[in-house]
Amino acid sequence: MIDVIHYPLFIITAVTLNLYPGPDTIYILTRSTGQGRAAGVASALGISSGCVIHALLGALGLAAVVMASATAYQMIKWAGAAYLVYLGLTMLRAHGHGSSHALSTKQSPGRIYVQGMITSLLNPKVALFFLALIPQFIAPNAVHPGRSFLALGLTFVATSTLWSLVLAVAAGALHRRLASGSGARWLKRLGGGLLVGLGARLAFSE
């Protein structure tokens, strides 16, 4: 049994929040424009998978335990920031070694998917967001609040996944237009810089 209140309003809220550009949006656009549509789609699916795990942990109550510990929160946040910086520097280093090196180190969609999932899992703000938003739409007398939390979490992930895939495909078109020459080099340079910037933003955010 799922005890959810104001479900249509929750869907409207989820769609509205998805349309607002956040770190995940920037991450997906960076991957798509710098590495192509397949990389963007893999990143979107990876991030969505990470959000599913966040929703599951929230339903089990584990996320609340982690969020209650300032030390655990900071450790996860710094790990996530370091990982984003690592990905950005990897992209910049591949660009700096020339096209032959970039081709030899081209990442598979599977690896990019895993990187997207890790990026999501190491962002404690996702768990904090779920804990702040979802309980507002669970009935106060819910018999199984964990199930309701998971159902709402998966609803949010479904809407965000659809929007992320649209962004990945659209941004991938830009990559195809600039797939060679100086345009591609600048896209990879910009993408690497943006990932480093996202890492720094996460590290110094409250």
Side-chain angles (χ1 to χ4, degrees), residues 58-147:
L60 295 174
L62 297 179
V65 175
V66 174
M67 291 300 103
S69 171
T71 301
Y73 179 88
Q74 290 297 327
M75 288 180 63
I76 295 174
K77 187 180 75 168
W78 279 98
Y83 189 67
L84 282 171
V85 171
Y86 163 75
L87 292 178
L89 292 177
T90 299
M91 187 178 293
L92 290 172
R93 186 166 60 248
H95 159 73
H97 282 79
S99 57
S100 59
H101 178 79
L103 289 173
S104 65
T105 58
K106 186 177 181 180
Q107 296 174 320
S108 67
R111 183 175 181 181
I112 294 174
Y113 166 83
V114 172
Q115 290 175 344
M117 183 168 61
I118 293 175
T119 298
S120 177
L121 290 175
L122 291 180
N123 186 357
K125 290 184 175 295
V126 177
L128 188 61
F129 170 77
F130 277 2
L131 291 175
L133 174 67
I134 292 179
Q136 301 179 44
F137 296 90
I138 298 177
N141 58 344
V143 179
H144 300 289
R147 295 181 185 177

Side-chain angles (χ1 to χ4, degrees), residues 27-46 106-116 164-165 167-176:
Y27 180 84
I28 293 168
L29 291 176
T30 297
R31 285 291 199 176
S32 290
T33 55
Q35 296 174 290
R37 181 177 60 185
V41 169
S43 295
L45 294 177
K106 186 177 181 180
Q107 296 174 320
S108 67
R111 183 175 181 181
I112 294 174
Y113 166 83
V114 172
Q115 290 175 344
S164 296
L165 291 175
L167 290 176
V169 172
L174 177 61
H175 174 81
R176 288 197 302 272

